[in-house]
Amino acid sequence: MATVIYPSPIFGPIHSRRLGISLGINLLPSDGKFCTFDCIYCECGYNKDHRPTRKLPTREEVREALESRLKKMQEEGVIPNVLTFAGNGEPTAHPHFPEIIEDTLELRNKYFPDAKVSVLSNSTFIHKPEVFAALNKVDNNILKLDTVNEEYIRMVDRPTGHYDVKRIIEGMKAFKGNLIVQTMFMKGTTEDGRSVDNTTDDFVMEWIKVVKEIAPRQVMIYTIDRETPDQLLQKATHEELDRIVSLLQEAGLYATASY
């Protein structure tokens, strides 16, 4: 089973399906995975199979590595579209996430002022005031909501601690539109035979109703792109994603799909 464990604290730039030329910022250890979810579709594999032994990068290490890479990109004429917090787990879990956001915005303004700063988050720490404030400062606050069905979330996203989807939804509403909702759609089954198809109306219509209440400035839907730790998962089709985009647009929401 192929998995992707990203270097830390900086990786890339890479070409992102959703964001363009992206310089990655990984606030997790470089030798394993540290996440509050244990998704069966995660390209980094299952948490138990990639337990890190190294420490989190410090704020100072992140700043120095980021500035060094931005200087090099500037010298080489490589212009990033976005600086993206992603990598081997949940970036907002880093204890100095808010301060690192401040450093990143300062360095972005210095070297590539037209680049966006994006955070890919599973939303589990948005209730923390300091995390909420930091996410409100970035250009693209991209928060995961794969469904509003908590049973499905426990089967597919597999939160490692306390998780309350209603609390997550209320936390998203608190951004008052300053967020992008990101949702994975897929088909197939788990390895023990349970369906993971969330492209049907049973899932989609209730999810759209809630997303409309959240009122994000954009909805990004996507499907599996790389090998997954659960081998029986399948991509959603172009037609299925296009149908969901059309339903979102009918609900008055700006939506895009990555195939």
Side-chain angles (χ1 to χ4, degrees):
M1 172 173 50
T3 55
V4 180
I5 300 297
Y6 290 94
S8 178
I10 306 300
F11 63 93
I14 62 174
H15 188 271
S16 165
R17 286 184 296 168
R18 286 158 283 171
L19 302 171
I21 298 174
S22 172
L23 182 65
I25 304 171
N26 176 22
L27 302 185
L28 290 311
S30 60
D31 66 337
K33 184 184 173 194
F34 183 81
C35 196
T36 50
F37 274 4
D38 194 18
C39 299
I40 63 175
Y41 59 76
C42 181
E43 65 184 7
C44 297
Y46 290 130
N47 294 350
K48 65 180 177 61
D49 297 328
H50 303 281
R51 299 196 184 281
T53 59
R54 297 176 185 170
K55 295 181 179 180
L56 299 173
T58 66
R59 174 187 180 181
E60 292 72 22
E61 288 170 341
V62 175
R63 182 184 176 94
E64 289 173 9
L66 178 59
E67 182 157 28
S68 176
R69 185 64 60 85
L70 291 175
K71 280 183 179 178
K72 184 176 181 182
M73 291 175 70
Q74 191 177 65
E75 291 166 359
E76 295 175 347
V78 179
I79 301 173
N81 299 114
V82 64
L83 312 180
T84 306
F85 286 82
N88 305 336
E90 174 53 35
T92 64
H94 194 290
H96 296 290
F97 174 74
E99 294 88 347
I100 292 170
I101 288 293
E102 293 289 351
D103 293 341
T104 302
L105 292 170
E106 180 184 329
L107 292 171
R108 182 276 306 272
N109 293 342
K110 180 178 179 181
Y111 291 99
F112 294 102
D114 292 333
K116 306 296 185 184
V117 174
S118 298
V119 178
L120 301 178
S121 171
N122 65 21
S123 313
T124 51
F125 290 120
I126 59 175
H127 64 280
K128 292 188 172 184
E130 63 275 19
V131 171
F132 179 84
L135 290 173
N136 260 314
K137 295 176 182 177
V138 302
D139 301 288
N140 296 318
N141 169 29
I142 304 174
L143 301 180
K144 173 169 289 297
L145 185 66
D146 283 340
T147 177
V148 295
N149 182 312
E150 191 151 334
E151 182 180 351
Y152 183 95
I153 291 169
R154 296 196 181 282
M155 176 178 65
V156 171
D157 296 332
R158 305 199 309 173
T160 59
H162 175 73
Y163 185 90
D164 181 344
V165 70
K166 292 180 180 178
R167 186 187 188 196
I168 295 294
I169 291 165
E170 291 306 310
M172 289 182 166
K173 289 178 182 178
F175 284 100
K176 299 187 184 304
N178 186 29
L179 77 160
I180 296 170
V181 168
Q182 176 183 246
T183 301
M184 164 71 81
F185 285 99
M186 60 184 181
K187 299 166 70 175
T189 67
T190 61
E191 290 176 345
D192 59 1
R194 292 176 293 170
S195 173
V196 298
D197 186 352
N198 64 337
T199 66
T200 63
D201 281 351
D202 288 346
F203 286 96
V204 171
M205 302 313 292
E206 188 63 25
W207 169 79
I208 290 178
K209 178 182 175 183
V210 171
V211 172
K212 190 172 181 179
E213 292 172 1
I214 294 169
R217 61 181 174 86
Q218 183 178 352
V219 183
M220 289 180 173
I221 68 171
Y222 66 123
T223 192
I224 297 165
D225 186 44
R226 299 183 177 92
E227 188 171 351
T228 58
D230 192 316
Q231 299 290 293
L232 300 179
L233 307 181
Q234 300 171 12
K235 292 171 70 78
T237 67
H238 284 219
E239 292 76 16
E240 286 163 335
L241 293 183
D242 287 343
R243 182 183 84 92
I244 296 168
V245 167
S246 294
L247 290 170
L248 287 162
Q249 290 171 341
E250 288 173 11
L253 294 157
Y254 171 55
T256 58
S258 297
Y259 308 101

